[in-house]
Amino acid sequence: MAVQINPSILSADFSRLAEEARAVEGADWLHVDVMDNHFVPNLTLGVPVVESLVRATDTPLDCHLMIEDADRWAPQYVEAGAGSVTFHAEAAAAPVRLAREIRAMGARASMALKPATPIEPYEDLLPELDMLLIMTVEPGFGGQAFLDIMLPKIRRTRELISKHGLELWLQVDGGVSASTIERCAEAGADVFVAGSAVYGASDPSQAVRALRTQAREATAHAAWACDH
Ligand code: DX5
Ligand code: ZN
C-alpha cells in the first residue's frame, strides 16, 4: 500500500495560499482544515476559499471539516471541488447517510475521531468510508505535540481494516514530523498530514519527500504491512 503525505495549509501563509499550495506540488493531497469556532476554538476558512484553492493547484484537496452540523455543510465542500471530505464522528448526526451522500456526489468519504473517541463503536461503519482519520492532537491548532497515547488506537484500527479486508486509508493528523512519522507508520497509518513539519521547513517540497521516505521505510518494516 502506498504511503501518502498531505501537507496542511493551516501552517502556510494565508495571504499567499495559491503560492503556498504550489510550493508542495509533489504532495499527494493538500490538507485543508476548515474550523468554525464552535466545534473547535479556532476559525479558518470555508467554501469560497476551497473553491479558489481548487483552481489554484492540481493537487487534490483533502478537506478536514472541524465544524458542527457536518450533515448540513459537508456536501458543499464536495460541490466546491474537494476530492476527499472528512467529517468528525462527534459532529455528524447520521454518519452513514452523510458518507453515502459524499460518495454519491463523487468524492471520497472520510470520518475523523478526536483523541477521546474510540474506534470500536464504528467498526460496522468502516465499509461506508474511504478513509478514517485518527487525530493525534486535540483538533484546533497546528504545531501541537504528538499524542503517543493514540498509537494503540491506530494499531487497533489497522487490525479492524485487515480483519474486514477493507481498502480503507488510515490517516493521522497532528504533530506528525520527522520524529513521529515512523511510529505512526509502524502502528498502521498510511496517510500522513503534516503542517508545521512541512511549511515550517525552509524547503517544503523537500520536507514532503523526506517524510515520504521515512514513512515508506518504516512501513516496509512494519508487521501489519508484512502480512499482506
Ligand atoms: C489540527 C489540524 C491539523 C494541523 C496539523 O487541528 O487538523 O491538520 O494543521 O498541524 P501540525 O502538523 O503542525 O500538528
Ligand atoms: Zn487537519
Side-chain angles (χ1 to χ4, degrees):
M1 196 182 309
V3 152
Q4 300 185 71
I5 307 292
N6 301 7
S8 166
I9 55 154
L10 186 61
S11 298
D13 178 348
F14 271 38
S15 72
R16 301 186 298 114
L17 276 185
E19 213 178 302
E20 295 279 70
R22 287 191 286 265
V24 292
E25 239 150 30
D28 296 282
W29 296 78
L30 196 63
H31 184 84
V32 180
D33 290 302
V34 177
M35 304 186 188
D36 66 352
N37 232 351
H38 292 275
F39 184 71
V40 288
N42 197 4
L43 184 67
T44 55
L45 51 85
V47 168
V49 174
V50 169
E51 284 171 345
S52 296
L53 272 171
V54 167
R55 288 193 295 270
T57 177
D58 291 333
T59 309
L61 301 192
D62 156 31
C63 281
H64 175 194
L65 306 183
M66 285 160 277
I67 60 174
E68 286 180 357
D69 204 358
D71 308 69
R72 178 176 176 192
W73 302 113
Q76 293 192 19
Y77 289 86
V78 184
E79 268 171 29
S84 174
V85 174
T86 301
F87 58 86
H88 265 264
E90 306 86 356
V96 173
R97 186 169 62 210
L98 181 55
R100 288 183 179 183
E101 189 177 351
I102 292 169
R103 279 178 158 179
M105 292 176 76
R108 295 179 61 88
S110 164
M111 190 175 76
L113 305 178
K114 289 170 73 174
T117 305
I119 181 63
E120 284 74 14
Y122 298 101
E123 178 175 353
D124 293 338
L125 267 66
L126 296 180
E128 301 288 338
L129 303 169
D130 297 300
M131 184 167 78
L132 196 284
L133 164 54
I134 294 183
M135 291 302 300
T136 43
V137 297
E138 288 292 351
F141 303 93
Q144 300 181 77
F146 179 80
L147 292 174
D148 264 298
I149 54 169
M150 291 297 106
L151 290 169
K153 183 156 81 178
I154 299 169
R155 283 200 190 91
R156 293 197 305 273
T157 305
R158 174 53 65 189
E159 282 166 16
L160 292 177
I161 294 170
S162 301
K163 175 179 151 192
H164 294 285
L166 301 172
E167 290 290 321
L168 185 71
W169 294 351
L170 181 48
Q171 185 178 59
V172 283
D173 181 12
V176 176
S177 68
S179 53
T180 59
I181 196 167
E182 289 167 352
R183 274 175 272 168
C184 296
E186 184 277 324
D190 56 5
V191 185
F192 305 86
V193 175
S196 44
V198 169
Y199 281 106
S202 52
D203 182 345
S205 275
Q206 168 56 24
V208 169
R209 285 195 294 274
L211 288 169
R212 185 180 279 117
T213 302
Q214 269 190 294
R216 270 189 190 145
E217 283 172 10
T219 303
H221 297 109
W224 68 267
C226 296
D227 293 345
H228 291 80

